[in-house]
Amino acid sequence: MSGSSGGSFGGGFAPEPTCEKILIRTQLASPVPDVIDDLRTGDVLDVVLGGPTGPLTAQTNDGDVAGAILISNPASLINCINEGFEFKAKVMDITGGDCQISLYCSGR
């Protein structure tokens, strides 16, 4: 008698991460020089959604826009923000006018 082995299910697509697990590393687009000059590695910026569908920006605690956030799949991040999740952008590196950030969920 032969037994059956368990099969695997799935369509070959990785599921989208839940809002709490989103972690995206990217570079600020159109960085604002006067704001970037005052940032240091480790600073944390607010991720702000300008309207129901965007744009996404990174802002200081004073509300100064450091730059735009352009990512390959903004819909998932925008949906999470519209559902009440808050996101932060941690400054990972600043080289000249380039600012590398890491986006993460900071709560609901």
Side-chain angles (χ1 to χ4, degrees), residues 30-48:
S30 304
V32 179
D34 289 343
V35 178
I36 298 298
D37 287 346
D38 292 334
L39 295 178
R40 301 290 173 258
T41 300
D43 285 352
V44 177
L45 305 169
D46 295 321
V47 175
V48 178

Side-chain angles (χ1 to χ4, degrees), residues 3-87:
S4 67
S5 62
S8 64
F9 297 96
F13 295 102
E16 283 193 25
T18 61
C19 294
E20 295 93 348
K21 292 184 179 182
I22 289 178
L23 182 61
I24 302 168
R25 183 147 181 178
T26 189
Q27 180 173 315
L28 282 180
S30 304
V32 179
D34 289 343
V35 178
I36 298 298
D37 287 346
D38 292 334
L39 295 178
R40 301 290 173 258
T41 300
D43 285 352
V44 177
L45 305 169
D46 295 321
V47 175
V48 178
L49 181 60
T53 60
L56 289 165
T57 58
Q59 299 183 9
T60 67
N61 289 335
D62 295 331
D64 296 325
V65 175
I69 298 171
L70 300 178
I71 54 177
S72 61
N73 182 13
S76 62
L77 183 60
I78 289 171
N79 288 340
C80 289
I81 292 171
N82 285 331
E83 289 175 16
F85 289 91
E86 294 182 12
F87 286 82

